[in-house]
Structure formats: C-alpha cells, structure tokens
Amino acid sequence: MKSTAFLATALFAYSFSLWAQIDNAGSFPKEFRRWAHVKSVLVGPQSAAFSTEGGIHHIYANDKALEGYESGKFPDGSIIVYDLLETKEIAGNTIEGSTRRVDVMVKQSEHNSATGGWQFMSFPGGNQAEGKLTAERQAMCSGCHAKRKDHDFVFSEFRK
C-alpha cells in the first residue's frame, strides 16, 4: 500500500497554460503553483522511500493535463508538476520547508514516442536552470511510469 501511494505521487508532466508557457524542452513552468492542485501527499520517515521522497508532495496540472485526468488520456501540451518540499516541525505542526526538487512531465507525442509521449525533467532545489535529465535518467523515469500505461503513464489520480 505504501509503495502504491508513493508511486501514485511520483508523477510529472508539462504543457502550455494561460499562466506559463514552456517555450522549449527543459523549461521550468514558473507559474505552476497557480495551476489546478491535483493532490498532496506527506511521505514520512516510516516510508521506505523517505531518503529520496521524504517531505510534502504537491501535484499540479495545467488545463490540458486536467483534460487527461478526466478522460484518462492526456493530450499533447499536458504538463504535470511534482513539487517536493522538505518539512519542518514547529510547535507540533508539520509545515513546508525548502524545495527539495520540482519534477515535471510534458506530453509531446511527436518528440517522445518511446516514452508514451512524455518528457521528464527534474529541477533540484527548484533551480530553474537545471532541469534537463540524462538519457539514463529519462529511461529510468519512463520505465517506472510504464507501470501506469493504463492511465497514459501518469501515476496520480485527481483528488476526489
């Protein structure tokens, strides 16, 4: 169950939106926090994934990706953002800390046919200039996301 919850949060995607546009592959979607909030997950120290995924995960989707969450088929231009934040404990409250990384998935079928149409990016610490992944890392992301081919390679489900 924990691994399913972890995998369900591990998603990324991309596209054009009224708030921000991605002009080329590898661009950071600057206004993603103004997009639709898909869901949030807290990965705590008891999770096997804590060392790499520990913290608060917020998942955001642009308008195109929202169509995909409704239909199960994400159109080109879909962008999904996985915003991973550290946590801090203050007076018994768990609150957001620094950005650990921002992962992004962009659906561009013409350019990414081997990965179900998706390109993956990761911006450590939210550094907007450092998102491009090596071919090996792209393959690792697409290999994992292939487990959700039934949902167009996207783990997350829109919060009901």
Side-chain angles (χ1 to χ4, degrees):
M1 184 69 167
K2 286 181 186 178
S3 65
T4 302
F6 164 72
L7 291 176
T9 63
L11 49 95
F12 327 79
Y14 326 89
S15 166
F16 299 98
S17 124
L18 296 174
W19 298 103
Q21 298 218 350
I22 291 186
D23 297 326
N24 57 29
S27 295
F28 187 86
K30 293 178 181 156
E31 299 290 328
F32 71 86
R33 288 188 182 102
R34 296 182 184 260
W35 296 352
H37 175 253
V38 175
K39 68 176 10 176
S40 294
V41 174
L42 175 63
V43 176
Q46 60 278 50
S47 171
F50 183 74
S51 64
T52 59
E53 304 303 312
I56 298 173
H57 303 226
H58 297 297
I59 298 168
Y60 299 92
N62 71 351
D63 290 340
K64 291 276 188 182
L66 287 178
E67 293 174 31
Y69 280 109
E70 290 178 18
S71 70
K73 177 72 176 150
F74 291 80
D76 281 354
S78 293
I79 302 175
I80 301 169
V81 176
Y82 173 85
D83 189 19
L84 174 55
L85 306 167
E86 294 177 351
T87 57
K88 295 191 254 183
E89 298 292 325
I90 297 179
N93 298 303
T94 302
I95 63 169
E96 296 177 348
S98 301
T99 299
R100 290 187 71 180
R101 72 175 189 273
V102 175
D103 292 337
V104 182
M105 291 175 64
V106 177
K107 181 81 176 261
Q108 299 172 326
S109 298
E110 183 178 321
H111 302 292
N112 303 294
S113 60
T115 61
W118 294 100
Q119 178 192 11
F120 302 91
M121 293 179 271
S122 186
F123 299 86
N127 181 339
Q128 297 179 15
E130 301 292 326
K132 188 166 177 138
L133 298 177
T134 63
E136 179 180 286
R137 189 79 193 281
Q138 285 281 341
M140 186 176 84
C141 293
S142 64
C144 187
H145 280 264
K147 297 171 188 169
R148 281 307 311 262
K149 191 173 184 177
D150 64 320
H151 191 244
D152 203 8
F153 301 87
V154 175
F155 282 105
S156 61
E157 303 281 341
F158 201 84
R159 182 174 175 233
K160 295 177 178 154

